[in-house]
Amino acid sequence: MTLWRSLFVAASLLAAAPISFAHAQTPQTVKAKNVVLVHGAWADGSSWSEVIPILQAAGLHVTAVQNPLSSLADSVEATRRALAEQDGPTVLVAHSWGGTVISQVGTDPKVTSLVYVAARAPDANEDFVALSKQFPTGPVRAGVVERDGYTKLSEDAFLKYFANGVKPEQAKELYAVQWPTAASIFAGRTTEAAWHSKPSWYAVSKNDYTINPDFERFLAKRMNATTVELDAGHLSLVSHPKEVADLILDAAGYPRS
């Protein structure tokens, strides 16, 4: 066999052999058993009521935290208690201000992935208020009413800007159960940013009047999140529960419903 023929045969054998590149391997999503849902400001656990049945039907154990919204520390503690009750791998999900909470709590070893739904996603010790000012303020802010250190949204602001895209009768029910939110929580800073170490997903609300959609896109890109964009207002978990549930199912390693 000539030298050139020998080289050709060797090259052919190498081409036929499987080649593995460690850096090209995509980590497999850890299949979760549980989902813990954290609501945001001016809401309560019932805001997840449209999403919960879809996740349960897929076989997931679901817990909605009744977020006290009295301080960042109180909200973190309530979420830690809910997480401690979970048996096995858990997806941690948040809407709106609740994203601050899961960014802090999500470093827990039980947490396999994070899902942000039109949510804040602060970095550790970040001045998130200053960061948000780089983007236009949503009109909902004009409807914030403060009393004794706690805030609520006026009915007009809630229905027009917070719950835009939600059926009017359902929006009025959500307005009736909105939870008073301490004014101080918005400036609270986390000491952790779990999205640096945990796989993350993000649902952008394209018609959001509470958090600027471009700000949501910035946050999703910064955390390298798997991202979907929904034709929804801020309460996409109410108006588009199927799409939000599908994103959570992806993060949990389950087939979509």
Side-chain angles (χ1 to χ4, degrees), residues 158-196:
F158 192 101
L159 300 180
K160 280 186 182 178
Y161 304 125
F162 192 70
N164 61 306
V166 176
K167 294 176 183 177
E169 62 275 14
Q170 195 172 16
K172 287 181 179 179
E173 290 176 5
L174 292 166
Y175 169 74
V177 300
Q178 72 164 306
W179 200 250
T181 301
S184 61
I185 70 170
F186 298 105
R189 298 193 187 192
T190 64
T191 59
E192 305 280 354
W195 47 266
H196 279 298

Side-chain angles (χ1 to χ4, degrees), residues 44-174:
D44 72 355
S46 68
S47 59
W48 294 105
S49 61
E50 301 292 331
V51 173
I52 290 170
I54 302 173
L55 300 178
Q56 290 176 331
L60 284 159
H61 175 261
V62 185
T63 301
V65 176
Q66 290 296 347
N67 188 352
L69 300 174
S70 48
S71 70
L72 175 56
D74 290 346
S75 296
V76 164
E77 181 57 31
T79 304
R80 288 197 194 282
R81 285 197 302 270
L83 193 54
E85 294 173 356
Q86 308 307 309
D87 178 20
T90 302
V91 178
L92 199 51
V93 186
H95 174 244
S96 195
W97 182 80
T100 304
V101 179
I102 71 167
S103 294
Q104 178 72 37
V105 178
T107 54
D108 187 289
K110 282 185 182 177
V111 176
T112 55
S113 56
L114 305 166
V115 180
Y116 293 80
V117 181
R120 290 178 164 222
D123 207 340
N125 199 38
E126 182 171 59
D127 185 342
F128 199 80
V129 174
L131 179 67
S132 68
K133 288 179 179 177
Q134 297 179 29
F135 297 84
T137 301
V140 77
R141 290 290 169 184
V144 176
V145 180
E146 184 174 345
R147 181 178 180 181
D148 298 329
Y150 280 81
T151 64
K152 277 192 167 185
L153 292 178
S154 68
E155 184 171 8
D156 185 64
F158 192 101
L159 300 180
K160 280 186 182 178
Y161 304 125
F162 192 70
N164 61 306
V166 176
K167 294 176 183 177
E169 62 275 14
Q170 195 172 16
K172 287 181 179 179
E173 290 176 5
L174 292 166

Side-chain angles (χ1 to χ4, degrees), residues 1-15:
M1 184 181 294
T2 66
L3 175 61
W4 289 111
R5 181 169 174 78
S6 298
L7 291 172
F8 175 80
V9 171
S12 299
L13 290 171
L14 284 171

